[in-house]
């Protein structure tokens, strides 16, 4: 058979709203689309910013929402009390590892340093064959244009072991991202 449908998606995103209102809109929309597709969500466990919008969208759509939050970030990200499951873990490394283990694919929404850390760790683990989970970057309103351009520079300058575009798919809307997920 070989085909395994995606049941749980890990989403990495900011615990802040960002300045572009489309970021919140797309985060909420993706949460809702998970419900339509019958997929569950694993995310960072916060109730602020894109994290909160995403989780609330998924909860409203009736899917299982699993949060994984390190003790250190409870004060910053305000753990979400209204989700299906919340795992409070010791540190960021445990958080990322648990999120990877619980998901079948990953989506990256706009965010800050933590979101980039999660994106690049997923890509690195993928390259090293630690896992081969699909990764989608939601490049909402060009948020990741410069990052993608730099990744092309890393490719052209010979620093990547493979074409990153084989590992990282890019969508511009939540709907496009869901279409990619459903195509796997």
């Amino acid at each position: 058979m070989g085909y395994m449908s995606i049941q749980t998606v890990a989403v990495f995103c900011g615990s802040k709203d960002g300045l572009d209102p489309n970021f919140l809109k797309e985060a909420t929309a993706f949460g809702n689309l998970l419900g339509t597709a019958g997929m569950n969500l694993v995310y960072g466990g916060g109730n602020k910013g894109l994290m909160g919008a995403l989780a609330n969208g998924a909860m409203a759509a009736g899917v299982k929402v699993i949060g994984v939050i390190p003790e250190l970030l409870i004060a910053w990200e305000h753990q979400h009390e209204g989700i299906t499951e919340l795992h409070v873990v010791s540190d960021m490394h445990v958080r990322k590892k648990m999120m990877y283990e619980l998901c079948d694919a990953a989506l990256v929404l706009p965010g800050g340093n933590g979101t980039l850390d999660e994106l690049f760790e997923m890509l690195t683990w993928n390259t090293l064959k630690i896992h081969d989970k699909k990764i989608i970057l939601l490049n909402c309103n060009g948020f990741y244009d410069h990052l993608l351009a730099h990744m092309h520079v890393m490719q052209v300058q010979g620093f990547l072991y493979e074409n990153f575009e084989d590992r990282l798919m890019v969508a511009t809307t939540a709907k496009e991202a869901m279409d990619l997920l459903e195509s796997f």
Side-chain angles (χ1 to χ4, degrees), residues 12-16 23 50 108-116 143-144:
F12 302 103
C13 60
S15 60
K16 295 180 78 171
F23 300 160
L50 301 192
V108 181
L109 287 164
N113 291 333
T115 303
L116 291 179
F143 182 80
Y144 284 116

Side-chain angles (χ1 to χ4, degrees), residues 21-36:
N22 279 312
F23 300 160
L24 276 174
K25 187 180 121 243
E26 293 296 328
T28 303
F30 189 78
N32 284 312
L33 288 167
L34 284 171
T36 307

Side-chain angles (χ1 to χ4, degrees), residues 29-40 57-58 60-63 175 178 182:
F30 189 78
N32 284 312
L33 288 167
L34 284 171
T36 307
M39 296 177 188
N40 297 314
V63 297
K175 173 77 174 91
M178 184 53 69
E182 289 181 320

Side-chain angles (χ1 to χ4, degrees), residues 95-167:
R95 175 199 231 176
K96 289 186 290 186
K97 187 172 188 291
M98 181 179 275
M99 288 177 73
Y100 300 154
E101 287 169 354
L102 291 172
C103 78
D104 303 309
L107 175 81
V108 181
L109 287 164
N113 291 333
T115 303
L116 291 179
D117 172 54
E118 291 153 344
L119 165 65
F120 282 109
E121 188 158 310
M122 281 287 286
L123 283 172
T124 301
W125 287 16
N126 230 335
T127 302
L128 297 173
K129 311 275 190 274
I130 293 170
H131 70 75
D132 66 348
K133 297 174 183 186
K134 301 297 182 193
I135 307 165
I136 299 169
L137 187 70
L138 206 165
N139 187 20
C140 182
N141 283 3
F143 182 80
Y144 284 116
D145 285 354
H146 289 94
L147 179 70
L148 289 164
H150 186 73
M151 290 174 75
H152 280 284
V153 170
M154 293 188 310
Q155 182 86 43
V156 169
Q157 292 297 326
F159 284 103
L160 301 183
Y161 285 91
E162 58 190 19
N163 183 350
F164 75 90
E165 292 171 318
D166 294 340
R167 299 272 177 203

Side-chain angles (χ1 to χ4, degrees), residues 11 18-19 38 56 82 85-86 91 93 120 136 143 159 164 168 172:
V11 178
L19 297 178
N56 292 334
E85 285 176 30
L86 181 69
D91 60 45
H93 299 291
F120 282 109
I136 299 169
F143 182 80
F159 284 103
F164 75 90
L168 182 67
T172 57

